[in-house]
Amino acid sequence: MSSVSKSELEARGDGASPVASASTPGGRFFNSENSLKLGSLGLLTILAILPVSVFLYSAFVTHPEAGDSIFTFTNFTKNFSTSEVFDASLNTLIIALGTSIFSCLTGVSLAWFHARTDMPFRRPLEALTLIPFFLSSFLGAVAWWALAAPRTGILNRWMIDLFGLSAPPFNIYSMTGIVMVMALFYTPYMYLFTIGSLNRMDPALEESARVCGTGVLRTALRVTIPLSTPAMLSGAVIIFVVSMGVFGVPSLLGPIARISTLSTIIYTKMEEYPLDIGGAAALGSVLMVFTALGLYIQRKIIAPRSYVTVTGKGYRPSRVSLGPWKYVALAINCFYVLLAVILPLGALLLASFNRAWLGGFRWSQLSIYNWAYVLFEYEYAIQATKNSLILGLVGGFITVVLCTFLAMVILRGRNKRLSGAVDYLSTLPIGVPGLIMGMAFLITWIKTPLYGFPMLLLMMAYMTRYLPYGLRTISSVLQSLSSELEESARICGSSFVATIKKITVPLLRPGIFAAYLMLFIMFIRELPVSVLLATEDSAPMAVALYILQENEALGVVAAFALVQTALLLLGTIVFRKLGSMEELSV
Amino acid sequence: MAEVVVKDLVKRFGTETLAVDNVSFTVGEGEFVTLLGPSGCGKTTTLRCIAGLETPDEGDILIADEVFTSSHNGVCLPPEKRRLGMVFQSYAIWPHMSVSENVAYGIQAQGASRAEVNEKVANALELVGLSGLGERNATKLSGGQQQRVSLARALAYNPRVLLFDEPLSNLDAKLRERMRVELANLIKELKLTAIYVTHDQAEAMVMSDRIIVMKDGRIQQEGDPHSTYNEPSNSFVADFIGVTNILEGKAGERENGKGLWVEVPSLESKILCAKGIERDIPAGSDLLVTVRPEYIELGEDGSSDENVLRGQVSDAVYLGQSWDCLVQSGNFELRVHVRGDADIRAGQSVTMNISPSRCVVLSD
Amino acid sequence: MKKRLSCSVGMAVLLAVTFTLGGTARAAEAPILKELKGAEKARVAKLIEGARKEGNFSWATNLAPVKAAKEMEKAFKKLYGLPKVKFRFANRRSGTLIKRFEQEIKANKLSVDVVVLAAASWLHSMKRRGNLMKYVSPEDKHYSLAEKANMNGDGYWVSDAQINTMAVNRDLAGNVKLTSWYDLLKPEFKGKVLVGDARPSETYTLWYKGLRERLPKSYFQKLSASGAGVMARGSAQRRSLMAGEYWLGTTIMARHNWIAKKAGVKMDPIYPKEGVVALPIGSVIMAKAKNPNMAKLFVDYWRSVRGHHMLLNYNPLNSGRPLPPHKDEKINKLILAKDGIAPPIDKINVIPTDWSKVTPADVKKWKAEFIEVFGSGTKK
């Protein structure tokens, strides 16, 4: 040991010894790995960190829109001292907390029913349970407005007619209404976040608890749920952060009850002239701080408790027999499907067959005009569908490749510090509301030739925005694969790259397909970035829908939304067939 | 000529944890060496360093004079360049491949022809007794069969050294016992060099030519199973392998050709120890003595001159082939194993003889 | 061999035909030139020549839906004999467009030639910063009304009007006579009135500011106390009025009445006697427009009677110039009449505002008062 100096040792501790690379090119196990990591850090920096920091920078200068660059804190002091912002922050917190709690409760219960129990009709119900994922929460809010607006909501009228109530029982214009709509539409996220880990859980863990004499419910609460806590909590953190940035629902349902949120204020600052980019950035940074905090909590408290549950043994988990309770589970799932799918989609379907929506389906208004318009007359429809498919399929594919790569870097790396950095950087975009992400991309890329290729720019922006979701899906599968599966291939004489090709990717296939599908759906739904960056030729479906929303009556919007939902459903079916996936998630 | 040389190996995790602390050993050609120790002792890390799955912070690893890892010139061969075979605890069977495909993987990686691959796969499967199961889905096999697949996969491409990371610990007890013998015989038959990691001392005893006992990243003792069991070097080894009595005492005088007298206050007696006394032990120094329960014989008074102890049986559990007794002698409760046909009752007064060659002075 | 020969002969013929057709199209005078004489004819002819060389044109608006834009494009190309010019068009909310253009200007990458937007303060700021091209179209002289209402921009633009005003769902409210803002305070309309939320919107803040010139604060306090609903988006207000959730809107644009009417709901605009707020809709040419000839021609068209009449079919807006009757009598009655969906501003009482003097501080002040009157962000 005497011949090795201390500094040399330290250099090796980080794995990148210059001597090593010189004497055995690429030979040192660490070397290629570390350069891969640095490469992915660089890529992430370009994709996510660069635009976000360019944007955040404007929070600290006086008049960013005028290119003024005097350092200042006024954007913060000015914006955080008003009672409007205080109230809005409070509302935002309540909404985000409510949304994450309720979607967590529903999503986890539903995931448990589907993954671990013998609830009947699981297969058809799963597809139905995930349909809300195809719609934006804004459309959900429009549909629920049609259902539960105090005076004109279909449900309210029915209840009044049926039970002779004096006042309408539901009021969608309320905190409850906002939280309900958001929770309904974020439940599928939670479902997708947890079902993977529930599917992969060793049934022996549950069985041993049952043997110890605890009942089904207690077992679920004491063993199953705690075991999937890491997946659950990190899902809840994500939903909390994302729902803080959601603008559509509160902007529609909030004003009547005088509820404003941070997102509606940010919207104002970004959408009304003179633009207050500095103010928007200052407020937006709050969301990013929450994200960073959430991630920190997740990494410090939650992540160390994740368990590798699948080894090379391979088994099929058995299911918990619920006895008569399975009908309760069925009832709960059906109730969710009723609230999140049948009622809102039904309302949209009814609206799409009425020329004008007079607060309920009217035979006198029966018309196929909306459908005829959307299918045959709408100039944007075909081009936009084509653009969306290109963005979803090509962009989704590139993103999924990147996600797979990043997941490997994060989970299979030996240099934990670098892995951690990659993990942080790739998750941070979740805390950036779409409106801000769009602006950040615009500011960053407008000066480059890339601005001349809007489809490419859109793809990059989508990639950045939804990278964390794809990454989550893939890394949850990778996490559950024992690294011995790859190590044994290395020892058998196959190189790093060959191992990825022959062992890792085939084993990850279900996760990769699930991520691809998830990204495909999200790409097609994305609005705030698209509406800012897309040009006439590159406008995707979401923008086409937005233009209808501004210029046409509800029925047309409803018809187009249903077309989009049908397309996504079709896409899901095709994906499942191709990926021979048994469930949407793995 | 030594096949495997591990020299001054150091591996840290983070800045604090020293997983492997200056470990050196060699494994001869055709030798079966076991790294034995409780979990966290560094045995698996050492094995993974040899495999190339971990990069040691310091030290050299050579196999057949080829440098695999050397901190002096920063060489660290990636695992695929080492031509080793490894069997994992979890079997690490690739669920997306059939049995044959699993076994063929390493041979194909060497660029063998199709015919050669088929032949080697068939050979390997025959060796592990899985002929005819080649087309099965590997994950549909039983645990024992999966472990055989894993072994066949490691054997198939004629690795220079076979590495085993607790390969049997996922099997049930009966199967594990059978596999021990089978595996050891196979390795001998094929004249393979093997490094085997386990925490199961019985496994180590049955299979190994040599056992290296580790604790806290350091080697505690190195030797064949017999000497490791009978002449443990310290209390950890004595205690970890088998059941034993450890007595605190003070060194007395040496009796030429016979051994060292040790004053054991708790037994209110002196014991003559013939083992572990090669080193210089100054009279009056504190030391530990170990005596295995099965070497304490119950006998008549006066049947021996040295190491005669009297006591009273405080507890006796009948195990069929033997009695597991606790005998109160002085202030100490000695564990004593007696043949099953003896007549033992709790409360009985007994006289015990211990041959000095069974009394080992420990190095700590 | 023979086949190939006939094939190439066919190709040659085809090419020749194409050339002659192209040639004749170029030689033929554009229909617009037939109407013009003298200097104006020479000016337009020169612009057309320039536009043909440019070959491209890009414009953006928050007003015309895609369909209107496509129809205008078709009519324009025919009228000016420019069938090959490639049009690009963006239809987004004004905030989105402004965001984009501001960044493009900063990066010196402005891609748009003509912008038609209802965004007074932005237009003035653009003018001040020298980002607009001065262009006086021969049509501008007809915009004297807009000039009187302080809506025009000194030769940079002339203005049509975006009027957010009262609208009533006649199917529900019946034929009740509505002539004054004070009619909204009638007891039968308690809880039936909808107001645009000024908190996230400059448009509604300016509406409030404008009306406050004619109506006291107490009026709005009474309106608030009578249970008026506050809603953020124009499209949401339209849906709500159509569905009958509320009967009367106060901040409804002509476009939404028109959408409702097309769907068969009798939603009428009301222009109360106290006056209405008219936001300027400027059609401006960018100083750095890449296709200035096309831009000028298009602005001529947009400001002409033809352009206005064309737009009425798709997105009626209150013209800043008096309009002669449309050839379609229905449109005259439905849109251009005094009580129509979008009468030209000579037929309505517009509250004059000097838009060049409205500052962000004003907006902030009036927004604060709106919040005070209609409630803050706190849940009740």
Side-chain angles (χ1 to χ4, degrees), chain B residues 343-357:
Chain B
D343 185 22
I344 298 282
R345 268 165 287 107
Q348 191 179 358
S349 289
V350 290
T351 307
M352 296 166 285
N353 296 323
I354 312 168
S355 158
S357 66

PDB file of all heavy atoms in Angstrom, chain B residues 343-357:
ATOM      1  N   ASP B 343     -26.333 -42.747  30.913  1.00  0.00           N
ATOM      2  CA  ASP B 343     -27.463 -42.570  31.824  1.00  0.00           C
ATOM      3  C   ASP B 343     -27.256 -41.266  32.587  1.00  0.00           C
ATOM      4  O   ASP B 343     -26.419 -41.193  33.473  1.00  0.00           O
ATOM      5  CB  ASP B 343     -27.514 -43.787  32.782  1.00  0.00           C
ATOM      6  CG  ASP B 343     -28.736 -43.707  33.676  1.00  0.00           C
ATOM      7  OD1 ASP B 343     -29.700 -42.999  33.270  1.00  0.00           O
ATOM      8  OD2 ASP B 343     -28.717 -44.317  34.742  1.00  0.00           O
ATOM      9  N   ILE B 344     -27.991 -40.294  32.216  1.00  0.00           N
ATOM     10  CA  ILE B 344     -27.764 -38.958  32.769  1.00  0.00           C
ATOM     11  C   ILE B 344     -29.064 -38.434  33.350  1.00  0.00           C
ATOM     12  O   ILE B 344     -30.126 -38.558  32.744  1.00  0.00           O
ATOM     13  CB  ILE B 344     -27.301 -37.972  31.673  1.00  0.00           C
ATOM     14  CG1 ILE B 344     -25.970 -38.406  31.056  1.00  0.00           C
ATOM     15  CG2 ILE B 344     -27.203 -36.547  32.205  1.00  0.00           C
ATOM     16  CD1 ILE B 344     -24.769 -38.108  31.896  1.00  0.00           C
ATOM     17  N   ARG B 345     -28.952 -37.827  34.538  1.00  0.00           N
ATOM     18  CA  ARG B 345     -30.119 -37.175  35.123  1.00  0.00           C
ATOM     19  C   ARG B 345     -29.702 -35.818  35.660  1.00  0.00           C
ATOM     20  O   ARG B 345     -28.547 -35.648  36.074  1.00  0.00           O
ATOM     21  CB  ARG B 345     -30.671 -38.013  36.287  1.00  0.00           C
ATOM     22  CG  ARG B 345     -31.754 -39.013  35.906  1.00  0.00           C
ATOM     23  CD  ARG B 345     -31.969 -40.015  37.017  1.00  0.00           C
ATOM     24  NE  ARG B 345     -30.869 -40.977  37.128  1.00  0.00           N
ATOM     25  CZ  ARG B 345     -29.972 -40.954  38.117  1.00  0.00           C
ATOM     26  NH1 ARG B 345     -30.039 -40.063  39.063  1.00  0.00           N
ATOM     27  NH2 ARG B 345     -29.007 -41.850  38.165  1.00  0.00           N
ATOM     28  N   ALA B 346     -30.596 -34.907  35.647  1.00  0.00           N
ATOM     29  CA  ALA B 346     -30.275 -33.617  36.249  1.00  0.00           C
ATOM     30  C   ALA B 346     -30.061 -33.830  37.745  1.00  0.00           C
ATOM     31  O   ALA B 346     -30.760 -34.633  38.360  1.00  0.00           O
ATOM     32  CB  ALA B 346     -31.405 -32.633  36.002  1.00  0.00           C
ATOM     33  N   GLY B 347     -29.105 -33.159  38.318  1.00  0.00           N
ATOM     34  CA  GLY B 347     -28.842 -33.264  39.737  1.00  0.00           C
ATOM     35  C   GLY B 347     -27.742 -34.253  40.074  1.00  0.00           C
ATOM     36  O   GLY B 347     -27.186 -34.230  41.167  1.00  0.00           O
ATOM     37  N   GLN B 348     -27.426 -35.065  39.074  1.00  0.00           N
ATOM     38  CA  GLN B 348     -26.402 -36.073  39.258  1.00  0.00           C
ATOM     39  C   GLN B 348     -25.022 -35.427  39.417  1.00  0.00           C
ATOM     40  O   GLN B 348     -24.699 -34.465  38.739  1.00  0.00           O
ATOM     41  CB  GLN B 348     -26.413 -36.948  37.993  1.00  0.00           C
ATOM     42  CG  GLN B 348     -25.606 -38.197  38.100  1.00  0.00           C
ATOM     43  CD  GLN B 348     -25.727 -38.987  36.800  1.00  0.00           C
ATOM     44  OE1 GLN B 348     -26.441 -38.598  35.881  1.00  0.00           O
ATOM     45  NE2 GLN B 348     -25.017 -40.097  36.730  1.00  0.00           N
ATOM     46  N   SER B 349     -24.190 -35.965  40.279  1.00  0.00           N
ATOM     47  CA  SER B 349     -22.816 -35.484  40.405  1.00  0.00           C
ATOM     48  C   SER B 349     -21.945 -36.252  39.433  1.00  0.00           C
ATOM     49  O   SER B 349     -22.076 -37.478  39.309  1.00  0.00           O
ATOM     50  CB  SER B 349     -22.289 -35.706  41.821  1.00  0.00           C
ATOM     51  OG  SER B 349     -22.945 -34.814  42.693  1.00  0.00           O
ATOM     52  N   VAL B 350     -21.075 -35.517  38.731  1.00  0.00           N
ATOM     53  CA  VAL B 350     -20.239 -36.190  37.745  1.00  0.00           C
ATOM     54  C   VAL B 350     -18.800 -35.740  37.865  1.00  0.00           C
ATOM     55  O   VAL B 350     -18.507 -34.673  38.394  1.00  0.00           O
ATOM     56  CB  VAL B 350     -20.723 -35.903  36.299  1.00  0.00           C
ATOM     57  CG1 VAL B 350     -22.034 -36.582  36.021  1.00  0.00           C
ATOM     58  CG2 VAL B 350     -20.793 -34.406  36.046  1.00  0.00           C
ATOM     59  N   THR B 351     -17.900 -36.583  37.324  1.00  0.00           N
ATOM     60  CA  THR B 351     -16.500 -36.219  37.191  1.00  0.00           C
ATOM     61  C   THR B 351     -16.198 -36.133  35.711  1.00  0.00           C
ATOM     62  O   THR B 351     -16.669 -36.941  34.926  1.00  0.00           O
ATOM     63  CB  THR B 351     -15.603 -37.300  37.822  1.00  0.00           C
ATOM     64  OG1 THR B 351     -16.050 -37.512  39.124  1.00  0.00           O
ATOM     65  CG2 THR B 351     -14.152 -36.855  37.801  1.00  0.00           C
ATOM     66  N   MET B 352     -15.462 -35.052  35.310  1.00  0.00           N
ATOM     67  CA  MET B 352     -15.212 -34.845  33.893  1.00  0.00           C
ATOM     68  C   MET B 352     -13.720 -34.890  33.624  1.00  0.00           C
ATOM     69  O   MET B 352     -12.926 -34.378  34.395  1.00  0.00           O
ATOM     70  CB  MET B 352     -15.777 -33.495  33.456  1.00  0.00           C
ATOM     71  CG  MET B 352     -17.280 -33.420  33.584  1.00  0.00           C
ATOM     72  SD  MET B 352     -17.863 -31.719  33.452  1.00  0.00           S
ATOM     73  CE  MET B 352     -17.422 -31.073  35.023  1.00  0.00           C
ATOM     74  N   ASN B 353     -13.347 -35.502  32.495  1.00  0.00           N
ATOM     75  CA  ASN B 353     -11.964 -35.509  32.041  1.00  0.00           C
ATOM     76  C   ASN B 353     -11.848 -34.760  30.730  1.00  0.00           C
ATOM     77  O   ASN B 353     -12.700 -34.919  29.848  1.00  0.00           O
ATOM     78  CB  ASN B 353     -11.491 -36.944  31.783  1.00  0.00           C
ATOM     79  CG  ASN B 353     -11.495 -37.748  33.047  1.00  0.00           C
ATOM     80  OD1 ASN B 353     -11.180 -37.234  34.113  1.00  0.00           O
ATOM     81  ND2 ASN B 353     -11.884 -39.009  32.919  1.00  0.00           N
ATOM     82  N   ILE B 354     -10.819 -33.944  30.624  1.00  0.00           N
ATOM     83  CA  ILE B 354     -10.587 -33.273  29.351  1.00  0.00           C
ATOM     84  C   ILE B 354      -9.143 -33.505  28.957  1.00  0.00           C
ATOM     85  O   ILE B 354      -8.225 -33.155  29.697  1.00  0.00           O
ATOM     86  CB  ILE B 354     -10.832 -31.752  29.441  1.00  0.00           C
ATOM     87  CG1 ILE B 354     -12.160 -31.466  30.142  1.00  0.00           C
ATOM     88  CG2 ILE B 354     -10.812 -31.131  28.045  1.00  0.00           C
ATOM     89  CD1 ILE B 354     -12.338 -30.024  30.511  1.00  0.00           C
ATOM     90  N   SER B 355      -8.963 -34.066  27.774  1.00  0.00           N
ATOM     91  CA  SER B 355      -7.608 -34.286  27.298  1.00  0.00           C
ATOM     92  C   SER B 355      -6.957 -32.943  27.010  1.00  0.00           C
ATOM     93  O   SER B 355      -7.574 -32.076  26.391  1.00  0.00           O
ATOM     94  CB  SER B 355      -7.655 -35.139  26.030  1.00  0.00           C
ATOM     95  OG  SER B 355      -6.468 -34.950  25.298  1.00  0.00           O
ATOM     96  N   PRO B 356      -5.725 -32.721  27.458  1.00  0.00           N
ATOM     97  CA  PRO B 356      -5.057 -31.428  27.244  1.00  0.00           C
ATOM     98  C   PRO B 356      -5.004 -31.070  25.767  1.00  0.00           C
ATOM     99  O   PRO B 356      -5.044 -29.898  25.406  1.00  0.00           O
ATOM    100  CB  PRO B 356      -3.654 -31.647  27.795  1.00  0.00           C
ATOM    101  CG  PRO B 356      -3.819 -32.742  28.781  1.00  0.00           C
ATOM    102  CD  PRO B 356      -4.902 -33.634  28.274  1.00  0.00           C
ATOM    103  N   SER B 357      -4.930 -32.065  24.879  1.00  0.00           N
ATOM    104  CA  SER B 357      -4.853 -31.749  23.450  1.00  0.00           C
ATOM    105  C   SER B 357      -6.150 -31.158  22.946  1.00  0.00           C
ATOM    106  O   SER B 357      -6.223 -30.666  21.827  1.00  0.00           O
ATOM    107  CB  SER B 357      -4.513 -33.023  22.669  1.00  0.00           C
ATOM    108  OG  SER B 357      -5.600 -33.935  22.783  1.00  0.00           O
TER     109      SER B 357
END
